């Protein structure tokens, strides 16, 4: 059996899908022990809601929480209300706050690890005092839910700050009042162009010095840093300069195998959007690394990089479309609809290639279901069977 997939040149090409069912992964005894691993999880839209792309997000809460239980069942932590959940790209603060409360309660019920994003996305712009207050409001929601806080990069702060001192002031204020150690998030402009020049400079070397100064001033309040710059060399240099006890969580969806493996001077933990579709495989790989078997770890994870690079191809911020496509094809949700209408953000050839790469990796528990759903999507777009 073959399926006709659209090619970038406008033609059609034949692809022969897998037919062998993927055996279910054995139930893990617990989370990986050598690395702390979070999957940034997507949200499932309510396809029956009468809404608009710029209206409030309509979320299918049952399916959204079920996907988080899927990730927890494999021993992964969940990074909630982050970029992968379309934060600031369809999911507003009201929806994110509800997501944080519901997911944190679910994590407590099943014993899953969770960390949640606190930012300023309900404040389009403002003065530094207003930005601090906006951060405080969101930080309070996260802490009251019982989740660990991730201090997300702020578009409002990027617009209002006049230099490094403003970042030192805002983050110092927040870290002093945080009740528990937080994760600091450095999200590069490839994920959000509004964050260009974050930490007070477009020069990444200068920005790194400010970032490290924030951490050095409050090392007891920083559990770790999540670095999403897609620059492996820079991440390695940064993690070697972190104070003792402060972790580096890679957010590099291009170079994660070598960064997680590490070298003789250290390694990165993980907080990755690509671990949403790769969840079971990623968990298996890190458990292999727990045994010290780096060769088998890389043999499992290296083949996933072409899919990750495809999903995160520029414009990188639209990677969520491919992530949700794969969740639908894998049977984790019943439709390919996204909040904000973001299912239209990628071309049909891009989606077809994502299907092909994921199928080749054996990511679909039921290949026949994935094939049937992909054919339905192709038919809607006018591709003849």
């Amino acid at each position: 059996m073959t399926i006709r997939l659209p090619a970038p040149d406008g033609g059609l090409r034949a692809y022969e899908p897998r037919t062998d069912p993927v055996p279910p992964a054995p139930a893990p005894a617990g989370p990986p022990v050598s690395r702390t691993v979070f999957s940034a999880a997507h949200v499932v839209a309510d396809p029956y809601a009468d809404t608009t792309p710029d209206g409030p997000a309509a979320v299918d809460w049952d399916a959204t929480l079920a996907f988080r239980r899927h990730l927890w069942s494999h021993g992964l932590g969940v990074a909630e209300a982050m970029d992968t959940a379309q934060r600031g790209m369809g999911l507003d603060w009201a929806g994110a706050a509800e997501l944080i409360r519901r997911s944190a309660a679910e994590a407590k019920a099943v014993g899953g690890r969770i960390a949640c994003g606190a930012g300023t996305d309900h404040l389009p712009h403002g003065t530094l005092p207003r930005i601090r207050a906006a951060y405080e409001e969101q930080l309070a929601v996260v802490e009251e839910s019982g989740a660990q806080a991730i201090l997300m990069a702020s578009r409002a702060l990027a617009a209002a700050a006049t230099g490094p001192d403003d970042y030192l002031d805002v983050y110092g204020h927040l870290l002093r009042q945080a009740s528990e150690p937080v994760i600091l998030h450095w999200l590069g402009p490839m994920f959000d162009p509004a964050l260009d020049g974050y930490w007070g400079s477009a020069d990444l070397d200068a920005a790194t010095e400010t970032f490290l100064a924030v951490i050095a001033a409050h090392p007891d309040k920083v559990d770790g840093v999540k670095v999403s710059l897609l620059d492996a060399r820079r991440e390695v240099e940064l993690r070697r300069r972190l104070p003792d006890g402060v972790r580096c969580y890679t957010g590099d969806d291009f170079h994660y195998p070598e960064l997680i493996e590490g070298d003789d001077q250290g390694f990165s933990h993980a907080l990755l959007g690509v671990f949403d579709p790769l969840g079971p495989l990623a968990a298996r790989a890190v458990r292999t690394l727990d045994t010290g078997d780096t060769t088998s770890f890389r043999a499992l994870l290296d083949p996933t990089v072409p899919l990750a690079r495809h999903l995160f191809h520029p414009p990188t911020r639209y990677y969520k479309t491919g992530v949700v496509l794969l969740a639908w094809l894998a049977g984790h949700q019943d439709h390919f609809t996204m909040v904000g209408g973001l299912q239209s953000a990628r071309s049909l050839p891009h989606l077809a290639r994502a299907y092909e790469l994921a199928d080749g990796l054996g990511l679909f528990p039921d290949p026949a279901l994935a094939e049937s759903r992909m054919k339905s999507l192709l038919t809607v777009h006018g591709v003849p069977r």
Side-chain angles (χ1 to χ4, degrees):
M1 298 294 292
T2 61
I3 182 172
R4 302 174 75 185
L5 298 178
D9 63 4
L12 295 172
R13 55 191 174 81
Y15 172 70
E16 186 173 343
R18 295 175 65 112
T19 57
D20 52 317
V22 179
V33 296
S34 63
R35 308 289 188 272
T36 300
V37 182
F38 289 97
S39 167
H42 74 280
V43 293
V44 182
D46 179 355
Y48 302 120
D50 185 10
T51 187
T52 61
D54 58 352
V59 177
D60 180 337
W61 294 113
D62 289 341
T64 293
L65 295 176
F67 188 76
R68 281 133 182 82
R69 290 194 297 272
H70 155 71
L71 295 172
W72 285 318
S73 74
H74 290 280
L76 299 176
V78 168
E80 189 57 278
M82 301 291 292
D83 185 54
T84 307
Q86 295 180 243
R87 190 78 178 268
M89 291 184 67
L91 186 70
D92 61 13
W93 168 236
E98 182 70 10
L99 178 64
I100 288 166
R101 294 186 182 102
R102 287 175 179 259
S103 292
E106 196 73 15
K108 184 176 181 180
V110 303
R113 182 165 186 169
I114 188 168
C116 301
T120 67
D121 44 321
H122 59 302
L123 179 71
H125 53 80
T127 62
L128 293 182
R130 290 187 66 201
I131 291 167
R132 286 196 299 267
Y135 261 126
E136 289 170 346
E137 178 184 342
Q138 295 201 14
L139 181 60
V141 170
V142 173
E143 291 187 335
E144 287 165 6
S145 77
Q148 183 179 18
I150 302 170
L151 290 185
M152 302 174 69
S154 163
R155 292 175 180 173
L157 181 55
T162 59
D165 287 346
D166 289 338
Y167 288 89
L168 292 167
D169 175 67
V170 170
Y171 278 90
H173 179 85
L174 295 170
L175 290 172
R176 281 191 294 272
Q177 64 177 296
S179 61
E180 299 290 342
V182 307
I183 298 172
L184 298 180
H185 188 189
W186 186 355
L187 189 68
M190 68 289 294
F191 289 94
D192 188 342
L195 300 177
D196 192 25
Y198 211 73
W199 303 112
S201 178
D203 181 324
L204 290 180
D205 290 335
T208 297
E209 295 306 318
T210 303
F211 187 49
L212 287 168
V214 169
I215 300 163
H218 307 277
D220 58 320
K221 288 297 187 72
V222 181
D223 164 76
V225 298
K226 190 220 176 194
V227 187
S228 300
L229 299 176
L230 304 182
D231 185 334
R233 177 193 60 80
R234 186 171 295 280
E235 179 176 321
V236 170
E237 291 176 353
L238 173 64
R239 80 184 183 203
R240 289 176 179 170
R241 297 180 62 190
L242 292 174
D244 290 343
V246 176
R247 307 176 194 184
C248 180
Y249 293 93
T250 187
D252 188 329
D253 300 279
F254 285 1
H255 307 99
Y256 50 94
E258 61 259 42
L259 290 166
I260 296 171
E261 178 187 357
D263 54 31
D264 58 357
Q265 298 184 56
F267 55 82
S268 295
H269 300 270
L271 198 164
L272 289 161
V274 77
F275 278 7
D276 179 301
L278 295 182
L281 192 156
R284 179 184 169 197
V286 179
R287 282 197 178 80
T288 301
L289 189 58
D290 288 347
T291 69
D293 187 351
T294 57
T295 300
S296 296
F297 165 76
R298 294 296 294 268
L300 285 167
L301 218 51
D302 282 355
T304 69
V305 172
L307 172 63
R309 287 181 172 267
H310 179 74
L311 294 176
F312 287 78
H313 188 273
T316 303
R317 62 189 179 276
Y318 294 125
Y319 75 87
K320 299 96 169 170
T321 302
V323 165
V324 174
L325 171 80
L326 298 183
W328 173 54
L329 296 178
H332 294 298
Q333 56 193 79
D334 295 331
H335 57 85
F336 180 41
T337 306
M338 299 176 67
V339 298
L342 210 63
Q343 68 271 11
S344 64
R346 290 293 201 186
S347 70
L348 189 62
H350 178 94
L351 299 177
R353 181 60 176 157
Y355 160 72
E356 182 179 0
L357 289 168
D359 182 63
L361 290 168
L363 294 186
F364 302 132
D366 185 345
L369 174 66
E371 178 185 353
S372 173
R373 289 185 167 183
M374 191 67 206
K375 285 180 175 177
S376 297
L377 181 64
L378 295 169
T379 298
V380 168
H381 284 79
V383 177
R385 294 206 178 191

